[in-house]
Amino acid sequence: MKSGRLLSILLLLQTRGRVPARELADRLEVSVRTVYRDVEALSAAGVPVYAERGRHGGIELLAGFRTDVTGLTADESRALFILAAQGAHVALGLDQALGSALRKVMAALPAPHRPAAEETSRRILVDATRWKGGPRRAADLQVLQDAVFADRRLRLRYRHSGERETRTYTVDPYGLVSKAGVWYLVADRRARPRLFRADRVRSATVLDDPVRRRPGVELADAWEVLRRQVEERTGGLDVTARVRRERLDMFLRLNAGHLAELPDDDGTGEWVTVRLSYGVVREARQLLPYAAEVEVLSPPEVREDLAAAAASVTRLYRPAAEDGS
């Protein structure tokens, strides 16, 4: 709606100062011509807004002009009080600031919308952490934040999963991402995007050197590339197994990351065939906890490895009198 677009332009100009017409058009998903028409409408309504053309031009409010505008709808008011990933604000040291900001927003809301916003904050809760995630080393985000906001390079001492020794990296940070309750640093190393789990950073030092990001690349761009790399990483080993039907839902839920495709289930029979993908043979040992509820059908090397692993567990727990020792 035009009224909402006019309000968006006004709020952007109040917070940003001079903004190029093309940027406003891109943000609002309209043409530059429409932006200029909207500016004329604001001016006709008494808002002191003007446009300057040229290379360094843009649209700007008269210096010193401010207006207390919210214009929030009922749904927008509710949306502000549904706080996704509340733990993220605590981790960043912003929980008190968030509470203060929400109180100010509440005071600025149109009176008819305040009860709905208050009710939403009591009735809707979003917890972005996974069930039974297990204990994790606390991530110290302060130095990482300092580098991100100061646009400085970082020197990290970092321990990769499965390694005892730390490695040292000099990186160019784009920002921090919270994914299912886990914090990641997105950064370039030697002009290539890298992902570092914050809780594996053993120490971090902000360097005096300015950050050297790739031109035109933002945090969201780098994160999208890295996210796809993780999610689309293909295994080199195709495994076919069968799962007892009464355990199928749980199995699919817990092994979604290794499913090559959804099983073709006709709803009959005791067993359902599934196809999985792993990086190496030993990785398929993740199937051992299912005991007799899951049987690998192929390839033979995976069956042999699982049989050997199961035999070693049997020997470990077999009473000494039974094995003749």
PDB file of all heavy atoms in Angstrom, residues 3-39:
ATOM      1  N   SER A   3       0.447   4.126   1.519  1.00  0.00           N
ATOM      2  CA  SER A   3       0.661   4.746   2.839  1.00  0.00           C
ATOM      3  C   SER A   3       1.788   4.053   3.582  1.00  0.00           C
ATOM      4  O   SER A   3       2.626   4.701   4.217  1.00  0.00           O
ATOM      5  CB  SER A   3      -0.632   4.681   3.650  1.00  0.00           C
ATOM      6  OG  SER A   3      -1.060   3.339   3.826  1.00  0.00           O
ATOM      7  N   GLY A   4       1.833   2.725   3.504  1.00  0.00           N
ATOM      8  CA  GLY A   4       2.916   1.994   4.151  1.00  0.00           C
ATOM      9  C   GLY A   4       4.255   2.300   3.528  1.00  0.00           C
ATOM     10  O   GLY A   4       5.278   2.398   4.214  1.00  0.00           O
ATOM     11  N   ARG A   5       4.282   2.482   2.197  1.00  0.00           N
ATOM     12  CA  ARG A   5       5.526   2.796   1.505  1.00  0.00           C
ATOM     13  C   ARG A   5       6.020   4.185   1.884  1.00  0.00           C
ATOM     14  O   ARG A   5       7.222   4.404   2.092  1.00  0.00           O
ATOM     15  CB  ARG A   5       5.308   2.681   0.007  1.00  0.00           C
ATOM     16  CG  ARG A   5       6.591   2.609  -0.794  1.00  0.00           C
ATOM     17  CD  ARG A   5       6.341   2.242  -2.242  1.00  0.00           C
ATOM     18  NE  ARG A   5       5.570   3.265  -2.947  1.00  0.00           N
ATOM     19  CZ  ARG A   5       4.380   3.058  -3.479  1.00  0.00           C
ATOM     20  NH1 ARG A   5       3.801   1.869  -3.371  1.00  0.00           N
ATOM     21  NH2 ARG A   5       3.749   4.035  -4.129  1.00  0.00           N
ATOM     22  N   LEU A   6       5.111   5.143   1.983  1.00  0.00           N
ATOM     23  CA  LEU A   6       5.498   6.497   2.398  1.00  0.00           C
ATOM     24  C   LEU A   6       6.092   6.486   3.795  1.00  0.00           C
ATOM     25  O   LEU A   6       7.088   7.170   4.082  1.00  0.00           O
ATOM     26  CB  LEU A   6       4.289   7.426   2.340  1.00  0.00           C
ATOM     27  CG  LEU A   6       3.698   7.711   0.954  1.00  0.00           C
ATOM     28  CD1 LEU A   6       2.468   8.596   1.073  1.00  0.00           C
ATOM     29  CD2 LEU A   6       4.736   8.354   0.046  1.00  0.00           C
ATOM     30  N   LEU A   7       5.479   5.701   4.685  1.00  0.00           N
ATOM     31  CA  LEU A   7       5.994   5.617   6.045  1.00  0.00           C
ATOM     32  C   LEU A   7       7.380   4.976   6.049  1.00  0.00           C
ATOM     33  O   LEU A   7       8.282   5.429   6.759  1.00  0.00           O
ATOM     34  CB  LEU A   7       5.028   4.800   6.911  1.00  0.00           C
ATOM     35  CG  LEU A   7       5.457   4.574   8.371  1.00  0.00           C
ATOM     36  CD1 LEU A   7       5.622   5.900   9.087  1.00  0.00           C
ATOM     37  CD2 LEU A   7       4.445   3.693   9.081  1.00  0.00           C
ATOM     38  N   SER A   8       7.570   3.957   5.227  1.00  0.00           N
ATOM     39  CA  SER A   8       8.875   3.301   5.148  1.00  0.00           C
ATOM     40  C   SER A   8       9.945   4.271   4.667  1.00  0.00           C
ATOM     41  O   SER A   8      11.062   4.304   5.199  1.00  0.00           O
ATOM     42  CB  SER A   8       8.802   2.087   4.218  1.00  0.00           C
ATOM     43  OG  SER A   8       7.933   1.103   4.722  1.00  0.00           O
ATOM     44  N   ILE A   9       9.614   5.072   3.661  1.00  0.00           N
ATOM     45  CA  ILE A   9      10.577   6.069   3.171  1.00  0.00           C
ATOM     46  C   ILE A   9      10.929   7.054   4.268  1.00  0.00           C
ATOM     47  O   ILE A   9      12.106   7.387   4.488  1.00  0.00           O
ATOM     48  CB  ILE A   9       9.998   6.801   1.939  1.00  0.00           C
ATOM     49  CG1 ILE A   9       9.899   5.846   0.753  1.00  0.00           C
ATOM     50  CG2 ILE A   9      10.853   8.018   1.580  1.00  0.00           C
ATOM     51  CD1 ILE A   9       9.233   6.451  -0.469  1.00  0.00           C
ATOM     52  N   LEU A  10       9.922   7.542   4.984  1.00  0.00           N
ATOM     53  CA  LEU A  10      10.153   8.520   6.042  1.00  0.00           C
ATOM     54  C   LEU A  10      11.055   7.951   7.135  1.00  0.00           C
ATOM     55  O   LEU A  10      12.005   8.604   7.594  1.00  0.00           O
ATOM     56  CB  LEU A  10       8.811   8.963   6.636  1.00  0.00           C
ATOM     57  CG  LEU A  10       8.865  10.032   7.732  1.00  0.00           C
ATOM     58  CD1 LEU A  10       9.630  11.266   7.250  1.00  0.00           C
ATOM     59  CD2 LEU A  10       7.454  10.408   8.161  1.00  0.00           C
ATOM     60  N   LEU A  11      10.783   6.693   7.554  1.00  0.00           N
ATOM     61  CA  LEU A  11      11.597   6.075   8.612  1.00  0.00           C
ATOM     62  C   LEU A  11      13.021   5.829   8.133  1.00  0.00           C
ATOM     63  O   LEU A  11      13.982   6.024   8.893  1.00  0.00           O
ATOM     64  CB  LEU A  11      10.948   4.763   9.064  1.00  0.00           C
ATOM     65  CG  LEU A  11       9.609   4.901   9.785  1.00  0.00           C
ATOM     66  CD1 LEU A  11       9.022   3.531  10.088  1.00  0.00           C
ATOM     67  CD2 LEU A  11       9.763   5.704  11.077  1.00  0.00           C
ATOM     68  N   LEU A  12      13.193   5.411   6.894  1.00  0.00           N
ATOM     69  CA  LEU A  12      14.537   5.198   6.355  1.00  0.00           C
ATOM     70  C   LEU A  12      15.322   6.503   6.316  1.00  0.00           C
ATOM     71  O   LEU A  12      16.512   6.540   6.661  1.00  0.00           O
ATOM     72  CB  LEU A  12      14.452   4.595   4.961  1.00  0.00           C
ATOM     73  CG  LEU A  12      14.180   3.096   4.865  1.00  0.00           C
ATOM     74  CD1 LEU A  12      13.846   2.692   3.439  1.00  0.00           C
ATOM     75  CD2 LEU A  12      15.386   2.311   5.365  1.00  0.00           C
ATOM     76  N   LEU A  13      14.686   7.580   5.893  1.00  0.00           N
ATOM     77  CA  LEU A  13      15.378   8.871   5.826  1.00  0.00           C
ATOM     78  C   LEU A  13      15.733   9.378   7.212  1.00  0.00           C
ATOM     79  O   LEU A  13      16.774  10.009   7.411  1.00  0.00           O
ATOM     80  CB  LEU A  13      14.514   9.886   5.081  1.00  0.00           C
ATOM     81  CG  LEU A  13      14.241   9.585   3.601  1.00  0.00           C
ATOM     82  CD1 LEU A  13      13.341  10.653   2.995  1.00  0.00           C
ATOM     83  CD2 LEU A  13      15.540   9.470   2.809  1.00  0.00           C
ATOM     84  N   GLN A  14      14.865   9.123   8.190  1.00  0.00           N
ATOM     85  CA  GLN A  14      15.162   9.562   9.557  1.00  0.00           C
ATOM     86  C   GLN A  14      16.362   8.824  10.131  1.00  0.00           C
ATOM     87  O   GLN A  14      17.155   9.400  10.883  1.00  0.00           O
ATOM     88  CB  GLN A  14      13.944   9.358  10.468  1.00  0.00           C
ATOM     89  CG  GLN A  14      12.863  10.388  10.289  1.00  0.00           C
ATOM     90  CD  GLN A  14      11.841  10.364  11.420  1.00  0.00           C
ATOM     91  OE1 GLN A  14      11.004  11.257  11.525  1.00  0.00           O
ATOM     92  NE2 GLN A  14      11.901   9.362  12.256  1.00  0.00           N
ATOM     93  N   THR A  15      16.499   7.551   9.796  1.00  0.00           N
ATOM     94  CA  THR A  15      17.583   6.764  10.382  1.00  0.00           C
ATOM     95  C   THR A  15      18.864   6.820   9.568  1.00  0.00           C
ATOM     96  O   THR A  15      19.959   6.683  10.116  1.00  0.00           O
ATOM     97  CB  THR A  15      17.157   5.295  10.541  1.00  0.00           C
ATOM     98  OG1 THR A  15      16.751   4.782   9.264  1.00  0.00           O
ATOM     99  CG2 THR A  15      16.018   5.169  11.517  1.00  0.00           C
ATOM    100  N   ARG A  16      18.754   7.030   8.250  1.00  0.00           N
ATOM    101  CA  ARG A  16      19.929   6.955   7.394  1.00  0.00           C
ATOM    102  C   ARG A  16      20.441   8.303   6.900  1.00  0.00           C
ATOM    103  O   ARG A  16      21.566   8.405   6.430  1.00  0.00           O
ATOM    104  CB  ARG A  16      19.592   6.096   6.170  1.00  0.00           C
ATOM    105  CG  ARG A  16      19.338   4.619   6.469  1.00  0.00           C
ATOM    106  CD  ARG A  16      20.643   3.858   6.552  1.00  0.00           C
ATOM    107  NE  ARG A  16      21.443   4.097   5.365  1.00  0.00           N
ATOM    108  CZ  ARG A  16      21.283   3.477   4.197  1.00  0.00           C
ATOM    109  NH1 ARG A  16      20.318   2.591   4.067  1.00  0.00           N
ATOM    110  NH2 ARG A  16      22.068   3.740   3.174  1.00  0.00           N
ATOM    111  N   GLY A  17      19.619   9.346   6.967  1.00  0.00           N
ATOM    112  CA  GLY A  17      20.022  10.599   6.355  1.00  0.00           C
ATOM    113  C   GLY A  17      19.787  10.539   4.853  1.00  0.00           C
ATOM    114  O   GLY A  17      18.755  10.055   4.400  1.00  0.00           O
ATOM    115  N   ARG A  18      20.741  11.007   4.080  1.00  0.00           N
ATOM    116  CA  ARG A  18      20.576  10.999   2.629  1.00  0.00           C
ATOM    117  C   ARG A  18      20.682   9.562   2.092  1.00  0.00           C
ATOM    118  O   ARG A  18      21.622   8.833   2.406  1.00  0.00           O
ATOM    119  CB  ARG A  18      21.635  11.872   1.967  1.00  0.00           C
ATOM    120  CG  ARG A  18      21.555  11.881   0.438  1.00  0.00           C
ATOM    121  CD  ARG A  18      22.564  12.836  -0.171  1.00  0.00           C
ATOM    122  NE  ARG A  18      22.300  14.225   0.229  1.00  0.00           N
ATOM    123  CZ  ARG A  18      22.999  15.266  -0.221  1.00  0.00           C
ATOM    124  NH1 ARG A  18      23.988  15.073  -1.072  1.00  0.00           N
ATOM    125  NH2 ARG A  18      22.712  16.489   0.183  1.00  0.00           N
ATOM    126  N   VAL A  19      19.697   9.187   1.255  1.00  0.00           N
ATOM    127  CA  VAL A  19      19.660   7.844   0.674  1.00  0.00           C
ATOM    128  C   VAL A  19      19.437   7.979  -0.834  1.00  0.00           C
ATOM    129  O   VAL A  19      18.525   8.689  -1.260  1.00  0.00           O
ATOM    130  CB  VAL A  19      18.521   7.000   1.284  1.00  0.00           C
ATOM    131  CG1 VAL A  19      18.530   5.588   0.693  1.00  0.00           C
ATOM    132  CG2 VAL A  19      18.646   6.946   2.803  1.00  0.00           C
ATOM    133  N   PRO A  20      20.256   7.332  -1.652  1.00  0.00           N
ATOM    134  CA  PRO A  20      20.044   7.384  -3.108  1.00  0.00           C
ATOM    135  C   PRO A  20      18.671   6.839  -3.488  1.00  0.00           C
ATOM    136  O   PRO A  20      18.177   5.882  -2.875  1.00  0.00           O
ATOM    137  CB  PRO A  20      21.168   6.496  -3.655  1.00  0.00           C
ATOM    138  CG  PRO A  20      22.216   6.499  -2.588  1.00  0.00           C
ATOM    139  CD  PRO A  20      21.471   6.581  -1.294  1.00  0.00           C
ATOM    140  N   ALA A  21      18.074   7.434  -4.502  1.00  0.00           N
ATOM    141  CA  ALA A  21      16.747   7.004  -4.935  1.00  0.00           C
ATOM    142  C   ALA A  21      16.757   5.546  -5.381  1.00  0.00           C
ATOM    143  O   ALA A  21      15.799   4.807  -5.150  1.00  0.00           O
ATOM    144  CB  ALA A  21      16.257   7.899  -6.070  1.00  0.00           C
ATOM    145  N   ARG A  22      17.833   5.103  -6.033  1.00  0.00           N
ATOM    146  CA  ARG A  22      17.921   3.718  -6.480  1.00  0.00           C
ATOM    147  C   ARG A  22      17.902   2.754  -5.304  1.00  0.00           C
ATOM    148  O   ARG A  22      17.270   1.705  -5.348  1.00  0.00           O
ATOM    149  CB  ARG A  22      19.190   3.529  -7.321  1.00  0.00           C
ATOM    150  CG  ARG A  22      19.566   2.072  -7.619  1.00  0.00           C
ATOM    151  CD  ARG A  22      18.423   1.282  -8.214  1.00  0.00           C
ATOM    152  NE  ARG A  22      17.968   1.831  -9.486  1.00  0.00           N
ATOM    153  CZ  ARG A  22      16.901   1.387 -10.124  1.00  0.00           C
ATOM    154  NH1 ARG A  22      16.132   0.435  -9.575  1.00  0.00           N
ATOM    155  NH2 ARG A  22      16.553   1.921 -11.275  1.00  0.00           N
ATOM    156  N   GLU A  23      18.590   3.110  -4.216  1.00  0.00           N
ATOM    157  CA  GLU A  23      18.593   2.244  -3.029  1.00  0.00           C
ATOM    158  C   GLU A  23      17.195   2.158  -2.420  1.00  0.00           C
ATOM    159  O   GLU A  23      16.744   1.081  -2.021  1.00  0.00           O
ATOM    160  CB  GLU A  23      19.588   2.758  -1.991  1.00  0.00           C
ATOM    161  CG  GLU A  23      19.663   1.875  -0.752  1.00  0.00           C
ATOM    162  CD  GLU A  23      20.700   2.344   0.244  1.00  0.00           C
ATOM    163  OE1 GLU A  23      21.621   3.086  -0.163  1.00  0.00           O
ATOM    164  OE2 GLU A  23      20.600   1.975   1.421  1.00  0.00           O
ATOM    165  N   LEU A  24      16.504   3.296  -2.338  1.00  0.00           N
ATOM    166  CA  LEU A  24      15.129   3.272  -1.827  1.00  0.00           C
ATOM    167  C   LEU A  24      14.246   2.405  -2.712  1.00  0.00           C
ATOM    168  O   LEU A  24      13.428   1.616  -2.224  1.00  0.00           O
ATOM    169  CB  LEU A  24      14.569   4.695  -1.757  1.00  0.00           C
ATOM    170  CG  LEU A  24      15.064   5.588  -0.616  1.00  0.00           C
ATOM    171  CD1 LEU A  24      14.518   6.992  -0.791  1.00  0.00           C
ATOM    172  CD2 LEU A  24      14.660   5.027   0.737  1.00  0.00           C
ATOM    173  N   ALA A  25      14.418   2.530  -4.010  1.00  0.00           N
ATOM    174  CA  ALA A  25      13.604   1.739  -4.933  1.00  0.00           C
ATOM    175  C   ALA A  25      13.859   0.245  -4.750  1.00  0.00           C
ATOM    176  O   ALA A  25      12.926  -0.564  -4.742  1.00  0.00           O
ATOM    177  CB  ALA A  25      13.905   2.159  -6.374  1.00  0.00           C
ATOM    178  N   ASP A  26      15.136  -0.132  -4.586  1.00  0.00           N
ATOM    179  CA  ASP A  26      15.467  -1.543  -4.398  1.00  0.00           C
ATOM    180  C   ASP A  26      14.891  -2.076  -3.096  1.00  0.00           C
ATOM    181  O   ASP A  26      14.369  -3.199  -3.038  1.00  0.00           O
ATOM    182  CB  ASP A  26      16.985  -1.734  -4.417  1.00  0.00           C
ATOM    183  CG  ASP A  26      17.583  -1.493  -5.793  1.00  0.00           C
ATOM    184  OD1 ASP A  26      16.812  -1.509  -6.776  1.00  0.00           O
ATOM    185  OD2 ASP A  26      18.803  -1.266  -5.875  1.00  0.00           O
ATOM    186  N   ARG A  27      14.986  -1.293  -2.029  1.00  0.00           N
ATOM    187  CA  ARG A  27      14.474  -1.725  -0.731  1.00  0.00           C
ATOM    188  C   ARG A  27      12.959  -1.900  -0.750  1.00  0.00           C
ATOM    189  O   ARG A  27      12.413  -2.823  -0.136  1.00  0.00           O
ATOM    190  CB  ARG A  27      14.856  -0.723   0.364  1.00  0.00           C
ATOM    191  CG  ARG A  27      16.296  -0.838   0.856  1.00  0.00           C
ATOM    192  CD  ARG A  27      16.592   0.258   1.861  1.00  0.00           C
ATOM    193  NE  ARG A  27      17.882   0.061   2.507  1.00  0.00           N
ATOM    194  CZ  ARG A  27      18.066  -0.561   3.657  1.00  0.00           C
ATOM    195  NH1 ARG A  27      17.021  -1.072   4.304  1.00  0.00           N
ATOM    196  NH2 ARG A  27      19.264  -0.693   4.181  1.00  0.00           N
ATOM    197  N   LEU A  28      12.280  -0.995  -1.443  1.00  0.00           N
ATOM    198  CA  LEU A  28      10.816  -1.008  -1.455  1.00  0.00           C
ATOM    199  C   LEU A  28      10.252  -1.814  -2.626  1.00  0.00           C
ATOM    200  O   LEU A  28       9.034  -1.964  -2.739  1.00  0.00           O
ATOM    201  CB  LEU A  28      10.299   0.432  -1.522  1.00  0.00           C
ATOM    202  CG  LEU A  28      10.717   1.326  -0.349  1.00  0.00           C
ATOM    203  CD1 LEU A  28      10.291   2.765  -0.606  1.00  0.00           C
ATOM    204  CD2 LEU A  28      10.121   0.830   0.960  1.00  0.00           C
ATOM    205  N   GLU A  29      11.158  -2.290  -3.499  1.00  0.00           N
ATOM    206  CA  GLU A  29      10.759  -3.099  -4.652  1.00  0.00           C
ATOM    207  C   GLU A  29       9.789  -2.338  -5.572  1.00  0.00           C
ATOM    208  O   GLU A  29       8.746  -2.854  -5.979  1.00  0.00           O
ATOM    209  CB  GLU A  29      10.154  -4.430  -4.196  1.00  0.00           C
ATOM    210  CG  GLU A  29      11.141  -5.290  -3.415  1.00  0.00           C
ATOM    211  CD  GLU A  29      10.546  -6.617  -2.991  1.00  0.00           C
ATOM    212  OE1 GLU A  29       9.313  -6.771  -3.059  1.00  0.00           O
ATOM    213  OE2 GLU A  29      11.316  -7.518  -2.599  1.00  0.00           O
ATOM    214  N   VAL A  30      10.152  -1.098  -5.848  1.00  0.00           N
ATOM    215  CA  VAL A  30       9.383  -0.276  -6.786  1.00  0.00           C
ATOM    216  C   VAL A  30      10.376   0.378  -7.731  1.00  0.00           C
ATOM    217  O   VAL A  30      11.589   0.220  -7.615  1.00  0.00           O
ATOM    218  CB  VAL A  30       8.546   0.800  -6.054  1.00  0.00           C
ATOM    219  CG1 VAL A  30       7.496   0.159  -5.157  1.00  0.00           C
ATOM    220  CG2 VAL A  30       9.448   1.736  -5.242  1.00  0.00           C
ATOM    221  N   SER A  31       9.868   1.148  -8.690  1.00  0.00           N
ATOM    222  CA  SER A  31      10.731   1.859  -9.633  1.00  0.00           C
ATOM    223  C   SER A  31      11.235   3.162  -9.014  1.00  0.00           C
ATOM    224  O   SER A  31      10.649   3.683  -8.055  1.00  0.00           O
ATOM    225  CB  SER A  31       9.971   2.156 -10.921  1.00  0.00           C
ATOM    226  OG  SER A  31       8.936   3.098 -10.671  1.00  0.00           O
ATOM    227  N   VAL A  32      12.327   3.689  -9.589  1.00  0.00           N
ATOM    228  CA  VAL A  32      12.845   4.978  -9.138  1.00  0.00           C
ATOM    229  C   VAL A  32      11.805   6.067  -9.364  1.00  0.00           C
ATOM    230  O   VAL A  32      11.642   6.978  -8.546  1.00  0.00           O
ATOM    231  CB  VAL A  32      14.156   5.309  -9.873  1.00  0.00           C
ATOM    232  CG1 VAL A  32      14.619   6.725  -9.535  1.00  0.00           C
ATOM    233  CG2 VAL A  32      15.241   4.302  -9.513  1.00  0.00           C
ATOM    234  N   ARG A  33      11.080   5.972 -10.467  1.00  0.00           N
ATOM    235  CA  ARG A  33      10.037   6.966 -10.753  1.00  0.00           C
ATOM    236  C   ARG A  33       8.985   6.966  -9.656  1.00  0.00           C
ATOM    237  O   ARG A  33       8.523   8.032  -9.224  1.00  0.00           O
ATOM    238  CB  ARG A  33       9.391   6.661 -12.101  1.00  0.00           C
ATOM    239  CG  ARG A  33       8.294   7.641 -12.485  1.00  0.00           C
ATOM    240  CD  ARG A  33       7.752   7.339 -13.865  1.00  0.00           C
ATOM    241  NE  ARG A  33       8.782   7.499 -14.896  1.00  0.00           N
ATOM    242  CZ  ARG A  33       8.554   7.298 -16.181  1.00  0.00           C
ATOM    243  NH1 ARG A  33       7.365   6.921 -16.598  1.00  0.00           N
ATOM    244  NH2 ARG A  33       9.528   7.474 -17.065  1.00  0.00           N
ATOM    245  N   THR A  34       8.618   5.775  -9.152  1.00  0.00           N
ATOM    246  CA  THR A  34       7.641   5.701  -8.061  1.00  0.00           C
ATOM    247  C   THR A  34       8.184   6.343  -6.794  1.00  0.00           C
ATOM    248  O   THR A  34       7.454   7.018  -6.061  1.00  0.00           O
ATOM    249  CB  THR A  34       7.272   4.233  -7.788  1.00  0.00           C
ATOM    250  OG1 THR A  34       6.659   3.681  -8.954  1.00  0.00           O
ATOM    251  CG2 THR A  34       6.315   4.112  -6.620  1.00  0.00           C
ATOM    252  N   VAL A  35       9.466   6.152  -6.544  1.00  0.00           N
ATOM    253  CA  VAL A  35      10.080   6.774  -5.360  1.00  0.00           C
ATOM    254  C   VAL A  35       9.962   8.293  -5.438  1.00  0.00           C
ATOM    255  O   VAL A  35       9.589   8.956  -4.458  1.00  0.00           O
ATOM    256  CB  VAL A  35      11.553   6.350  -5.225  1.00  0.00           C
ATOM    257  CG1 VAL A  35      12.269   7.220  -4.187  1.00  0.00           C
ATOM    258  CG2 VAL A  35      11.646   4.881  -4.821  1.00  0.00           C
ATOM    259  N   TYR A  36      10.266   8.861  -6.605  1.00  0.00           N
ATOM    260  CA  TYR A  36      10.182  10.313  -6.742  1.00  0.00           C
ATOM    261  C   TYR A  36       8.730  10.801  -6.589  1.00  0.00           C
ATOM    262  O   TYR A  36       8.485  11.866  -6.021  1.00  0.00           O
ATOM    263  CB  TYR A  36      10.764  10.756  -8.077  1.00  0.00           C
ATOM    264  CG  TYR A  36      12.272  10.799  -8.082  1.00  0.00           C
ATOM    265  CD1 TYR A  36      13.010  10.043  -8.985  1.00  0.00           C
ATOM    266  CD2 TYR A  36      12.960  11.599  -7.176  1.00  0.00           C
ATOM    267  CE1 TYR A  36      14.401  10.078  -8.995  1.00  0.00           C
ATOM    268  CE2 TYR A  36      14.351  11.641  -7.168  1.00  0.00           C
ATOM    269  CZ  TYR A  36      15.058  10.874  -8.075  1.00  0.00           C
ATOM    270  OH  TYR A  36      16.433  10.918  -8.065  1.00  0.00           O
ATOM    271  N   ARG A  37       7.775  10.018  -7.068  1.00  0.00           N
ATOM    272  CA  ARG A  37       6.369  10.397  -6.880  1.00  0.00           C
ATOM    273  C   ARG A  37       6.006  10.362  -5.397  1.00  0.00           C
ATOM    274  O   ARG A  37       5.270  11.231  -4.908  1.00  0.00           O
ATOM    275  CB  ARG A  37       5.459   9.455  -7.676  1.00  0.00           C
ATOM    276  CG  ARG A  37       5.411   9.754  -9.167  1.00  0.00           C
ATOM    277  CD  ARG A  37       4.147   9.177  -9.798  1.00  0.00           C
ATOM    278  NE  ARG A  37       4.110   7.732  -9.649  1.00  0.00           N
ATOM    279  CZ  ARG A  37       4.494   6.871 -10.594  1.00  0.00           C
ATOM    280  NH1 ARG A  37       4.962   7.312 -11.741  1.00  0.00           N
ATOM    281  NH2 ARG A  37       4.406   5.573 -10.387  1.00  0.00           N
ATOM    282  N   ASP A  38       6.529   9.377  -4.678  1.00  0.00           N
ATOM    283  CA  ASP A  38       6.259   9.289  -3.245  1.00  0.00           C
ATOM    284  C   ASP A  38       6.881  10.460  -2.492  1.00  0.00           C
ATOM    285  O   ASP A  38       6.296  10.985  -1.536  1.00  0.00           O
ATOM    286  CB  ASP A  38       6.801   7.970  -2.681  1.00  0.00           C
ATOM    287  CG  ASP A  38       5.990   6.765  -3.125  1.00  0.00           C
ATOM    288  OD1 ASP A  38       4.856   6.963  -3.603  1.00  0.00           O
ATOM    289  OD2 ASP A  38       6.485   5.627  -2.974  1.00  0.00           O
ATOM    290  N   VAL A  39       8.061  10.876  -2.925  1.00  0.00           N
ATOM    291  CA  VAL A  39       8.704  12.037  -2.303  1.00  0.00           C
ATOM    292  C   VAL A  39       7.860  13.285  -2.513  1.00  0.00           C
ATOM    293  O   VAL A  39       7.689  14.111  -1.590  1.00  0.00           O
ATOM    294  CB  VAL A  39      10.126  12.223  -2.875  1.00  0.00           C
ATOM    295  CG1 VAL A  39      10.713  13.569  -2.448  1.00  0.00           C
ATOM    296  CG2 VAL A  39      11.030  11.089  -2.415  1.00  0.00           C
TER     297      VAL A  39
END
